Amino acid sequence: MQPENDEYAEIATYLRGRFRALNGPDDQEFAHLNTLSAGPTREEFLAASTLPEAVNKFLLQLDTKVDALLAALHSSSLDRDFPHTMEIQSISASNLHFTTDVPLAAGDWLEVIVNFRQTGILTAAGIGTVTARETGGNGVPVFAFTFTRIREEEREKIIRYVFQEERRLLRETRLE
């Protein structure tokens, strides 16, 4: 657990996630039962691999299929434990902004799971509080959420995602 740090880079994004309401900051976390440890990314694997290209392609396809199978196995418990959906508009290692159909207010405690892949296998989770409610451009409420309790490995997953997205955006703007 680390205190809030506003020095983390924040990026605009579109991710999906799930959350559950908590009674307070000391409620037990459920996410550690539903998330897997992060290993090297596919890009890191390819960069470090000395295997032939055909083997690398096969292993990446196999990894994708295993992710899909694991997501199917975990989806029922995830839906039960984290009944509410969210659409994340921006994220950093200390906070995020999201929309949801659930009525929330500043001060509400939540445990969130952020999905970085469509399969729902690469996730990050943490506990925190809703800090603000604003109205978006289309009249939909946008909630600000700050992590107050997040494992270091979960924070690292978010940082890795933010850096990946920043690199992707830099490459796209450089090509234009």
Side-chain angles (χ1 to χ4, degrees), residues 13-166:
T13 190
Y14 177 80
L15 295 170
R16 292 181 184 256
R18 301 192 72 83
F19 69 93
R20 70 183 186 100
L22 301 176
N23 294 321
D26 297 325
D27 281 5
Q28 181 164 346
E29 62 183 320
F30 284 178
H32 71 278
L33 303 173
N34 289 300
T35 60
L36 300 173
S37 300
T41 64
R42 290 177 176 137
E43 293 80 17
E44 291 169 341
F45 169 76
L46 284 176
S49 177
T50 57
L51 298 171
E53 186 176 341
V55 174
N56 285 335
K57 284 182 181 179
F58 171 77
L59 291 174
L60 291 179
Q61 288 175 344
L62 184 62
D63 182 52
T64 301
K65 291 175 182 178
V66 170
D67 279 355
L69 291 171
L70 289 172
L73 289 173
H74 284 79
S75 67
S76 63
S77 68
L78 192 66
D79 292 350
R80 183 182 62 247
D81 292 341
F82 294 85
H84 310 293
T85 60
M86 62 190 331
E87 293 181 354
I88 300 164
Q89 297 179 340
S90 69
I91 190 168
S92 79
S94 62
N95 61 58
L96 51 93
H97 292 85
F98 68 95
T99 61
T100 183
D101 294 335
V102 178
L104 297 171
D108 287 349
W109 286 92
L110 307 175
E111 182 176 15
V112 301
I113 293 183
V114 178
N115 296 323
F116 294 115
R117 289 191 192 151
Q118 293 295 350
T119 59
I121 285 299
L122 182 58
T123 62
I127 291 175
T129 184
V130 174
T131 55
R133 179 181 189 248
E134 302 170 358
T135 303
N138 54 1
V140 174
V142 177
F143 300 96
F145 173 86
T146 301
F147 290 106
T148 58
R149 217 169 75 197
I150 183 170
R151 295 172 189 255
E152 192 56 37
E153 67 185 37
E154 302 295 297
R155 189 180 304 276
E156 186 61 36
K157 291 177 197 177
I158 296 171
I159 291 170
R160 184 181 291 172
Y161 174 78
V162 169
F163 284 155
Q164 271 182 323
E165 287 300 298
E166 285 180 335

